[in-house]
Amino acid sequence: MPARLSSMDLSDPITPPASSSPDHATRRKSGRVKHKPVLLNNDPAASISSYNSGKRKRADTMEMLDTNGSIGEETSLDEEESGPDEEEMKEKRRKSRSKKSTEKPAAKKPKTAKLQSTTLPVRPAVNGVKKPPKPRRPRPQALAAISDQETGLFAEIFAHGHTVDAVAAEWITRYNEHNANAMCELINFVLKCTGCDLEVDVHDIEDPDNAQSKLEDLLKEYQAKNIPEYPLISKNKAYASFRTTLTAFFFALISTAHAAGVLYTDLALLENIEVWVMTMSSASIRPFRHTATVISLAMESALCSVYSSLADNTAKTVRQKEGEQKKKSVNKERIASLQKKAAEEERRSAVVDGMMENIFTAVYVHRYRDVDPKIRVDCVTALGGWITAAPDKFFTSAYLRYLGWVLSDVSAPTRAEVIKQLSKLYKRKDDVARLRAFTEKFSPRFVEMATRDADPNIRAAVIGMLDLVRDTGLLEPNDIDSIGRLIFDSEQRVRKAVAGFFAKNINDSYDAVIEDLGGEEGLAEAIGEEDPEDFDMPRRAWLKFKCLAENLQSYSSEGDDGDAASSLPETIAVFPGSVVESRFALAARAVYDGVPEVKDWEVLAGYLLYDNSAATSNGNASESPEMLFRKTCLLNGYEEILLLEVLKESVKQRLLEAVDSETEKKSKRSKVRVEEVREIQESIALHLAQVIPQLLRRFGANPTTAAVVLQLEHVLNLEIFEELRQDSTTYASLLDDINKQFLSHVDHGVLAEASNAILHARSYEDLEEVTEGKIQELWSDTISTLRTLVGSRKSGETDFTGLCNTVTRISNLASIADCTSIFETEERSNSKKSNAATAQPAHILTQLVQDEYADIDDEAQEQRDEIITGAIKALVFYHMWIARSLKTSLAANMATLKLPDWHLFASALLSLMQSRSGTDPVRLAATGAYLDIHSLFASLKSITSRSDDQSTKQMATPPNKQIQQRSNGDDGQPSLSRPISPEAQSLILSVFVVTEKQYARRSRRKLEAASDDAIDSAPEDPESEIEDDEDEDEGTSSEQIRTQQLLAEKQLCELAGKMVLAVLGHVLDDEGQKVRRRLLRNRMRLGANFREVLAYLDEPKAKAKAKAKPKASTAKRRDTTQAKTKVGKKAKSKEVMEVSSEEESDEEEDGGREEDDPLGAELANDRIEDVEEDHRGKGHEKDYDDDEIMGD
C-alpha cells in the first residue's frame, strides 16, 4: 500500500491519501454500485496500461482501484482476507492487455509534462480558449496504372490479355456454379472500374435490399481518398482503350447470357446487376455515376441487338410456318414445332423488352440531362445506336423526342452529337415516314441552329443535316430560303457548308425554267448545237447563270434597292486604304465550289458580253424559241454586278488551282501535269487580256461594275507577256482602257482600283517602259486640267466639282508614281495667264490649301473640303518622294541637291488647324499631315550623321554636309528640320483631346479626370465642346452606330500614332514630356487598339525590364562600348544604355546613331511598318480581356 500511495503521490501530489481522513475511515461503504461509466478516454485497459508505465493520472488510478476493490475501511481491514493477491493482479493485467489489443485504441491525449517538476512555459490562448488545429485536407491520390499483379475479373479483362468473349463465357460458367460468388466478383469489377479499391462481400450480394446503404458507405470512404480522376476520363496511356473494352465486355456478357439461355431462365441475373449498377448511376459522385451509366448504356445496346435478332428469328419462323401450311401434305408436327418456337421467341422478346424498358426509365431518363456534359453526350450517342439497332422499339416519337430536347443543350459537343445522330437517321430513306412528326415539331429549332448558333462548326453540321432533310421532302419552302441566305454569312465554314444546299436551289430554279421553255426539246431548238470553242454563242449554261443571279439577288437584303455598291460602303469609308472584299465576292467564292458551271469562266464572260438588246426591242412581237431564250437570259443591272463578282472569283480560283498544281512534287508523273498547268496559265492570261477591255467598254460607265472589272487586272499574270514575247500593243491597249477609267470616273473605289492596276503593271520590268509612258500621259492630262481650272478662277467662277475631281486624281497618282519633277515644273507659255495657272503644281496645291471661300452653299463647301483634303494628301506624298530621293542620293554620294522648303505648306496646315473646330475631317487631315512632315524630315538627321570619308575628300561640300547645314539652318535658309513650336503643340493637343472625347462618347467609355497639374492637363478647345446627346442614337441602326464607333476609333488611333512617331522622332515633346504624359493618361480606358498604338512609347523600358543580368563577357563588352562612346560620341540616354551589348554592337555597325534617334533611322530606311511589327513581337505580350484588337 505505501508503494501504491507513492505511485499515487507522484501521479497527483496535491491529493491527500484516502486513509488519512478519519471520517472516511469510519464511514461504511454503501451497497450501491459506484462504478463510473466507461468512456473512451477512461477505458480500464488504457488506465492499466498507463499505471504499468508509470504515467497514470489520478482518475486512472481511482478507476483501477475501484475495479479491483473499494477504497475504504473494508479494503484496509480485510485486505489480507478479501483483497486479490499479486498473482491475481498479474492475471487481470494480462487479460486487460489482451483485451486492449482487440479493442479500438483510445484517443491519445497531448503530452504536457512527464513529471511535476518538468513544466514548460506555454503562451496563453486567445480569450483563454485555445483554437483547435484545422484538419488537413488529404492530398489527392493519383490513379494507379493497370498492373500485371491485379487479380479477379478486372485483371482477366485488362491485364492478362484475355478476349472479352472468353471472359464473359467463363463468368457465366462460374455463375451457374455459384451465382452469389460470381455476382460479387462482377460488382467488385464494376467498383474497380470506377477507380475504387473497395469491395463488397457475398453477404452484401445476398441482401440486395441493403445495396443502397452499402453503396453510401462505399461512397463516403471513396470520397475521403480524394482521387481526382477515374479510368473513363484518365489521360494515362494504360487506359486509352478502357471504355471500348469495358463496353465490349458487358455487350459480350449479355450476348453470352442470351446464347446460353441464362438471360431467360434466371431473371435474377440481370435484376441483381441492375440493383447495383442503377443505384450507382444515381450517385452524387461523378466517377460512380459516369461509369455506371456507361455500363448501363452498353447493356442496353446489347439488349437491343438481342431484341433485333429475336425479332428477325421470329419473323423467319413465322414465314417457315406459313410456308409449311401452304404445302399439300401438311406436317402438323413441324407446324406445331415452329409455332412453339415462335411462341418461345416472342416470350423472350417480351422479356428483353421489359429489361430494355427498365434500363431506359431507370438510367437514361435521368442521365440524358445530367450535369456532366460527357454523360449527356454518351446518352445521346447510345440512343442513336439503339434507334438504328432496334428501330421497331426505339424509332418512334416517344424516343425521338429525347433527341429533340437535347438540341437546346448548353454544351456545344452535346448539340453536335445530336446533329450527328440525326444525320444518320435522315440518311435512312426507308424510315423517313417515321421522322415526319419529329421533323414538323423540331424544324424551327433546326433552322434556328443553322442561322444563329454560337458555334460555326455546329451551324455547318446542321446545314448538312438540313440538306438531307430537304432530300426527304420534309423541309418547308420558307426554311429553304432561310438556309439559302446563309450564302452571304460572315463565317467561311458556314458559306462553304451551304454551297451544296444553295446549288440545289439553283438546280430547282433551272428545272423550272427548262419547263417554261418547253422542256429539253424546246431548249435544243432555241440554242441549236453548242460549239465548245465558241463562248459568244448561246449555251445551256447561260440559264444556270441566270438562275444563279436571281437567287443571289433574292437572298441579298440590298436586292430591293438595286444598289450593289451599298453592301459595304461605310466599311470602305472607315478603312479606305485596306482591301475590303464585298459580301458578294465572298458568296461568289462559295458558289465556285457548289456550282460546277461557274468554273467555266470563259462561258460566263461570253454571257456577260453578249448583246441581248434585241430581246428588249422586239417586245412580244416574236415568240420563237430563240427569242424566248434570250428574254429568259436577259440580265438587269443588279444581276450583272453579281455575275461580275462571280467571274472575278472564278478567274482567281482557277489560277489558284493551277498554281497549287504547279507546286506539287516534280515526279515523272507530275511533269506532264506541270506542262498542262503552264498552258492553262498562258491561255487564261491571253484570253483575260482580251476580255478585260471588252468588259470595260461594256460596263465601264457604271462605277460599281467598272471597279469590279478593274480588279480582274490584278490577277492577270503579266509574266506570260514577257515570256511569250507578245506584241506590246495588246498590253498598251489594256493600259489605255485603264487610263480612260481613271480620267472618266470620280468614284473613289474606281480611282483606287485603277491606281492599283497601274501599280501592278509597274511591277514588271520588261513592261515598265510602256507603263511609264501611260503614267506620263495621265500626269499631263491631270496637271493640264488643274491649270485650266485654277486659271478659270480669275473670272470669278470656280468649278468646285471639276477641281475636286482633278485634285483627287492627282493625289491617287502621287501615291503610286514619283511626282517630284511634275510638281516642280513651271509651264512656259507666251499666253497671258495668271501666275497661279503657270506656277509649279506644288505651289498651286499649296494655294488651294490656303484659300478660303465665303458665302458658298453646303454642297460647294463639301467639295471645298474634299479639295483641301486631296491637296494635303498630294503634297504629303510629294514630300515623301523628296525624302526618298534624298536618301537615294546620299547612298550614292551624288552631287549637290536642291533641298525643299516645306514651311509654307506647314504654315497653311497650321492655319487650317486654327480655323477649323472639333473633329472636322479637314482639321484632322491637316493635323496628321503637319505631324507627318515634321517626322519625315526629322529622319534626315540620322542620315546626315553617316558621313563618308572618301566623299568628303572628293567634294568641297558633300551632300550630307549640305543637308546637315540646311537641317540646322546654318546656310541662311529656313531649317529643313526643326521641333514643333509650343503653340503648335498646344493646338495638336487640343485636337487630340476633342478626338479622344468623341471616341469615348461613341463607345460609352469614361475618361480619367483631368489632373490639377498644369503640365499634365491638355488645353481644351473652347469652340469644339462635344455635347453628350443620348438622343442622338435614336432612329439609328445598330450597324450605323457600330460604324460611327469604328470611325471615331480610327481617327483617334491615327492621330495618336502620328503623335507617337513625332515624339519618338524628337520633334514633338522633346523636353518636359508633356505630350507623352497626356497621351498615356487614358491608355487603359479606350480599348486595345489605342493601347497598342501607345505601347511604342514604352518599348525601351520594356526591353530594360526583360533584360537579364549580363554575363562577365557581356559586361566587358559593354564597358568597352561605353568607353568608346565617352571618347568619340555623344553620351547615350539611360534607357538606351540598358540595352544588351549584342544589340548595341549591331546598332553601332549599322550607323552608330540609331540609339539617339530610333525613329529617324527607321524613317530613313523606309521601315516604319517593320518597326511596328518588331515592337509588337517583343515587348507587348500582355493580354487584355475587355477589347479586341482590330484585324487580329
Side-chain angles (χ1 to χ4, degrees), residues 164-165 168 244-258 294-306 386 389:
V164 292
D165 295 331
T244 305
T245 307
L246 178 63
T247 54
F249 168 72
F250 277 94
F251 193 96
L253 183 64
I254 299 298
S255 301
T256 305
H258 157 70
V294 170
I295 293 174
S296 300
L297 298 178
M299 293 169 57
E300 184 82 345
S301 300
L303 291 174
C304 288
S305 178
V306 172
W386 302 342

Side-chain angles (χ1 to χ4, degrees), residues 87 151 157 317 543 563 663 774 856 1060 1075 1117-1118:
E87 294 295 329
T151 59
I157 297 175
T317 303
L543 293 176
D563 185 10
T663 56
K774 300 302 178 182
I856 58 177
V1060 167
V1075 177
R1117 290 197 301 269
R1118 176 176 298 177

Side-chain angles (χ1 to χ4, degrees), residues 901-955:
D901 184 9
W902 52 271
H903 295 87
L904 182 63
F905 176 48
S907 300
L909 294 175
L910 199 59
S911 300
L912 283 175
M913 295 164 58
Q914 294 172 347
S915 62
R916 300 299 179 106
S917 62
T919 57
D920 186 87
V922 175
R923 191 187 196 199
L924 293 177
T927 306
Y930 190 82
L931 292 168
D932 286 340
I933 290 295
H934 282 81
S935 301
L936 180 65
F937 288 101
S939 64
L940 297 178
K941 287 184 178 181
S942 62
I943 301 177
T944 57
S945 64
R946 304 175 183 177
S947 60
D948 188 3
D949 296 337
Q950 295 181 358
S951 64
T952 303
K953 295 178 182 179
Q954 294 175 359
M955 299 181 185

Side-chain angles (χ1 to χ4, degrees), residues 526-545:
I527 63 177
E529 185 178 357
E530 296 182 3
D531 185 2
E533 301 298 331
D534 189 0
F535 302 113
D536 298 331
M537 296 302 295
R539 290 170 175 263
R540 181 188 298 266
W542 288 11
L543 293 176
K544 188 67 70 73
F545 293 141

